Amino acid sequence: MSPVTRVVLAEDGVLLREGLVGLLDRFGFAVVAAVGDAETLVAAVTEHAPDLVVTDVRMPPGFTDEGLRAAVRLRRAHPDLAVVVLSQYVRPGYAAELLDSGNGRRVGYLLKDRVVDVPEFVGMLRQVVTGGTVVDPEVVRQLLRRRRDPLARLSVREREVLALIAEGRSNAAIARTLVVSEAAVGKHVGNILAKLDLPPTEDTNRRVLAVLAYLGSDTESPAD
Amino acid sequence: MLPDEESAFTNQSTRTTEKPVPIHEKSLPTDNESVFSDTSRTPLESVTRRRFLIGGWPWRSLIYLLGTAPVAAAVGLPLLVLGLPWLVALRRITTGDLRPLGTLLVVVLVGAVLIAAFGPLLALPVAALERRRLRLIDTGPLLAGHRRPNATGPWPWLRTRYTEAATWRALGYTFLLVTAAPLLYGAVLAVPLLIVTLLISPFLVGQDVGPVSLGFGTVDSVGGALPYAVAGLLLLPAVPYLVAVLAGAHGAVARLLLHDGGGEGEQLRAELVQVAHSRARLVDAFESERRRIERDLHDGAQQRLVSLTLQLGLARLDLPADSPAADTLAAAHDQAKQAMVELREIIHGIHPQILTERGLPAALGELADRCAIPVTVHSELAGRLPGHLEATAYFVVAEALTNAARHSHATAVAVTLRQRSGLVTVQVTDNGRGGADPHLGTGLTGLADRVAVVGGRMLLSSPPGGPTLLRVELPCPR
């Protein structure tokens, strides 16, 4: 990790913006700009070339998905820029859009409520900055709940593994979490990919991408 | 058929037949339709039907005509009293006795004042009675056209009555009833009388009443009367026709003067349109109000709560984990988090952000994610719909999914959105056990109301054993 991570923060709520600035300061991030709308965000990134962008989805003027649009644009322009998007609610499509931008690395899609679990939130930010991909566990949970048809074929343990994969963890980390051997995790991963008709790959982020692409944002489930 | 009626009551049955009379009326009468009833609305229509003579219309017409005489007689006397000054004036004018002119003018004026002052009081009950009688030969809608006084008591009533057209039209009708009606009746009914006389002429002659004059000649023997009787017999079927035509003519005049096709009907229609508009406005206002509340909560309370919870989270980092304060703070932090979740749910229920942000298909996809049953959403919408339609469709699907999850035991639900030529169709199908009944308070009734307000309609098919299909059609101008 670089000595100091330079952050541009975009959040329209003044209170929360101040809170987030305090939080980031405290954990050794340097907030170079804190802005309140998507346009200023893009300008600030151009100006400061930060290492990390943390942005709300819903911002002025339209209060729809300006933050996400800006994030996707920034990722296309700077594929190495780490971006974490804070969403009001679980929207798997947002995650997929974000992961489709750039190379699928250094992105995070988190629920806004996640920021109040301070240590976890900071951990996720660091994961993204160091090249990881983070999708809010709640999003993953919903995706798993929603896609019964193919996922019904997975065992409980395999689903746990898939959830951890989707969170961007390595096999080693998954093994530690589930207290099993890394070889066992590897076998689970192989089974999952096989069951979901996904090409086997060892790249963590590719795996996430593949999973999310499969779980996808379209609301039409595959025909049985 | 009166021309000015064409404009009135376009949405209701009028006296004009909407469906053309079938040329071959071979259809057998059904259980509830005897051979004596036909679908005519007035005598004038009935005379064009083949079954006129064996139907009830000639008799109804006859009863109507017979009823006219006592009414006209009863009205005649008081009206004569009111019209006395005018009659005097009329007589003097016709005899050329115009002097003194001032006196004549005063008499005319007094007559006018009398009729204007007391005429309506006489005409109003007559009109009410005549409208009642008119029902006998006119099955179309009848409206008095009188406004409701805006206050109780005699004065407001009088003010209302004396200032509305219906009252003065009733007065006009009353005049015609005692003047034109007797003349017309006399002229038309002379013919049936003649026919009947022809018919019974042999009997009249047989009664030894001497020679009988029959208009075209005089007969003095039964044999001589027979041709006349035969002619009368042949002409007999014309009698019911004449009776019906006369009753129909009277009825048409009565409808013209006593039924308010313009004022009240127009007023009613205008009010209905206004009500529909105001309902739609109410829904729009309601919708934007919900959005405003959602925005306010999100920008205010929710931000504050998230910020507070974040501060609590930060404070926890500063306390040694084994201190008593740490436990309290942890509990406070957890409660704040719980409150955040609850508030988010509430805000979502008021107006889902995703609906505003990404439109209907996305919002329905998110609904599907939340549903306990697997739901597929299939959308063929070209673009965004107007806000109130999106909201209506969203809440319809939300309610349908809630019902499906709660009652249907379904294992799969399909939601489809289609847009065809100005109509958006939302369809929710489940493979459950069916038997959904909108009257069982499943919230479906409220939904139907919501749909009706935006001018749409809701169809439900849920046979026992399933499947349940809920279909909502919403008009959507391009």
Side-chain angles (χ1 to χ4, degrees):
Chain A
M1 197 177 138
S2 56
V4 176
T5 306
R6 298 167 73 255
V7 184
V8 169
L9 173 68
E11 159 65 50
D12 59 303
V14 180
L15 269 175
L16 188 58
R17 188 160 72 221
E18 294 309 316
L20 282 171
V21 169
L23 180 150
L24 291 167
D25 276 346
R26 184 195 164 110
F27 283 90
F29 295 87
V31 181
V32 292
V35 301
D37 66 83
E39 227 172 283
T40 325
L41 164 66
V42 175
V45 170
T46 313
E47 185 185 340
H48 298 285
D51 309 307
L52 170 66
V53 168
V54 179
T55 177
D56 184 12
V57 169
R58 178 167 135 151
M59 283 196 294
F63 292 99
T64 59
D65 54 357
E66 290 83 356
L68 181 84
R69 299 268 141 263
V72 171
R73 273 209 308 281
L74 288 172
R75 291 272 303 162
R76 295 222 171 103
H78 319 276
D80 283 337
L81 175 66
V83 173
V84 172
V85 169
L86 302 177
S87 179
Q88 300 280 354
Y89 49 82
V90 177
R91 182 72 199 128
Y94 285 178
E97 264 178 89
L98 206 57
L99 291 161
D100 281 346
S101 66
N103 58 7
R105 294 167 62 102
R106 291 175 194 271
V107 290
Y109 173 76
L110 299 177
L111 288 185
K112 215 166 176 176
D113 290 359
R114 198 59 59 192
V115 305
V116 304
D117 300 317
V118 180
E120 291 88 337
F121 176 63
V122 172
M124 288 171 177
L125 289 187
R126 289 197 172 129
Q127 241 180 321
V128 171
V129 173
T130 52
T133 306
V134 176
V135 178
D136 200 290
E138 185 57 32
V139 179
V140 177
R141 246 194 299 281
Q142 287 219 4
L143 284 169
L144 293 184
R145 209 173 50 220
R146 156 184 178 193
R147 300 281 154 186
R148 275 152 224 254
D149 329 338
L151 294 170
R153 296 201 289 265
L154 300 185
S155 68
V156 176
R157 180 41 63 99
E158 282 165 354
R159 267 188 240 186
E160 283 175 358
V161 173
L162 181 60
L164 292 166
I165 291 174
E167 283 180 39
R169 311 230 183 151
S170 65
N171 283 9
I174 295 172
R176 274 199 305 280
T177 310
L178 299 178
V179 205
V180 293
S181 71
E182 208 174 319
V185 174
K187 209 167 71 180
H188 284 313
V189 173
N191 286 344
I192 292 167
L193 295 176
K195 281 184 182 178
L196 299 183
D197 301 327
L198 293 170
T201 163
E202 262 315 296
D203 176 358
T204 323
N205 297 310
R206 285 282 140 222
R207 293 190 307 182
V208 178
L209 268 186
V211 170
L212 282 169
Y214 180 76
L215 299 176
S217 60
D218 67 313
T219 45
E220 183 79 283
S221 81
D224 296 349
Chain B
M1 174 70 223
L2 298 156
D4 72 325
E5 285 177 24
E6 287 181 350
S7 57
F9 289 93
T10 44
N11 295 332
Q12 298 181 39
S13 52
T14 62
R15 301 193 312 117
T16 57
T17 25
E18 276 136 18
K19 60 174 208 274
V21 181
I23 299 169
H24 309 290
E25 285 196 299
K26 284 183 183 165
S27 55
L28 290 169
T30 53
D31 297 342
N32 57 0
E33 185 196 17
S34 80
V35 71
F36 293 105
S37 81
D38 76 28
T39 52
S40 307
R41 298 206 180 91
T42 64
L44 291 181
E45 264 178 54
S46 70
V47 297
T48 63
R49 303 293 170 99
R50 283 175 48 196
R51 288 186 302 195
F52 168 77
L53 284 177
I54 51 170
W57 280 105
W59 301 105
R60 285 161 76 169
S61 305
L62 184 63
I63 294 168
Y64 181 78
L65 294 185
L66 293 175
T68 304
V71 178
V75 179
L77 192 64
L79 206 60
L80 194 68
V81 173
L82 288 181
L84 208 52
W86 277 11
L87 287 175
V88 171
L90 191 68
R91 195 173 172 283
R92 284 180 54 176
I93 289 165
T94 48
T95 54
D97 182 11
L98 295 178
R99 284 156 198 275
L101 196 59
T103 316
L104 187 64
L105 283 177
V106 167
V107 169
V108 169
L109 205 62
V110 167
V113 169
L114 268 180
I115 287 169
F118 300 104
L121 296 180
L122 176 68
L124 286 172
V126 170
L129 175 67
E130 283 295 280
R131 262 191 297 274
R132 187 156 295 224
R133 281 204 323 119
L134 188 55
R135 296 239 163 93
L136 186 64
I137 55 157
D138 187 342
T139 56
L142 274 174
L143 285 175
H146 289 298
R147 291 194 305 267
R148 190 172 304 176
N150 45 20
T152 49
W155 286 117
W157 184 86
L158 284 173
R159 214 179 15 252
T160 308
R161 287 291 167 273
Y162 275 75
T163 53
E164 58 191 359
T167 304
W168 300 104
R169 283 206 308 268
L171 184 61
Y173 176 86
T174 311
F175 265 110
L176 288 178
L177 193 64
V178 295
T179 53
L183 296 175
L184 186 72
Y185 273 53
V188 176
L189 292 181
V191 179
L193 275 177
L194 177 67
I195 292 172
V196 172
T197 315
L198 287 177
L199 192 61
I200 60 171
S201 58
F203 304 99
L204 292 175
V205 175
Q207 294 296 318
D208 288 337
V209 290
V212 179
S213 166
L214 291 174
F216 310 104
T218 313
V219 291
D220 48 10
S221 68
V222 176
L226 269 180
Y228 290 98
V230 170
L233 190 64
L234 291 176
L235 287 172
L236 192 61
V239 174
Y241 280 96
L242 283 165
V243 167
V245 166
L246 179 62
H250 185 159
V253 173
R255 169 170 278 280
L256 180 65
L257 290 171
L258 301 180
H259 158 71
D260 194 304
E264 183 74 5
E266 290 296 321
Q267 205 181 329
L268 207 64
R269 263 224 305 277
E271 277 171 15
L272 275 176
V273 170
Q274 270 181 355
V275 166
H277 277 310
S278 70
R279 251 177 35 156
R281 271 202 307 275
L282 208 60
V283 167
D284 278 349
F286 182 61
E287 214 43 68
S288 57
E289 194 61 10
R290 283 174 88 111
R291 234 172 268 187
R292 192 187 61 77
I293 293 170
E294 183 262 331
R295 173 78 53 85
D296 285 355
L297 278 175
H298 167 255
D299 289 347
Q302 195 176 32
Q303 299 279 1
R304 215 170 275 282
L305 191 54
V306 173
S307 175
L308 166 73
T309 315
L310 176 58
Q311 299 296 338
L312 289 172
L314 283 168
R316 281 179 72 182
L317 300 171
D318 294 330
L319 282 177
D322 50 4
S323 66
D327 290 348
T328 315
L329 193 55
H333 190 216
D334 286 344
Q335 282 185 24
K337 279 200 266 188
Q338 203 51 49
M340 264 170 51
V341 172
E342 280 170 19
L343 183 60
R344 196 173 293 295
E345 286 299 315
I346 289 168
I347 291 174
H348 185 91
I350 293 169
H351 189 91
Q353 285 177 12
I354 184 164
L355 191 59
T356 320
E357 290 179 23
R358 322 270 328 233
L360 191 55
L364 294 184
E366 190 239 17
L367 259 186
D369 289 344
R370 290 165 158 247
C371 187
I373 310 169
V375 179
T376 58
V377 179
H378 179 72
S379 167
E380 293 176 13
L381 296 185
R384 291 292 299 261
L385 302 174
H388 65 279
L389 289 187
E390 279 190 340
T392 303
Y394 178 89
F395 285 109
V396 164
V397 174
E399 182 68 32
L401 291 184
T402 308
N403 281 337
R406 209 176 287 163
H407 310 292
S408 77
H409 298 270
T411 56
V413 182
V415 179
T416 36
L417 299 172
R418 287 203 180 82
Q419 193 167 6
R420 298 255 191 297
S421 57
L423 200 71
V424 173
T425 315
V426 185
Q427 201 159 298
V428 184
T429 328
D430 72 47
N431 61 357
R433 58 179 186 181
D437 184 351
H439 305 297
L440 293 181
T442 47
L444 287 171
T445 325
L447 277 189
D449 289 349
R450 253 197 109 125
V451 169
V453 167
V454 296
R457 57 181 195 151
M458 187 168 100
L459 311 159
L460 176 73
S461 153
S462 185
T468 297
L469 188 154
L470 178 76
R471 182 188 170 100
V472 170
E473 293 170 350
L474 307 167
C476 173
R478 295 279 166 158

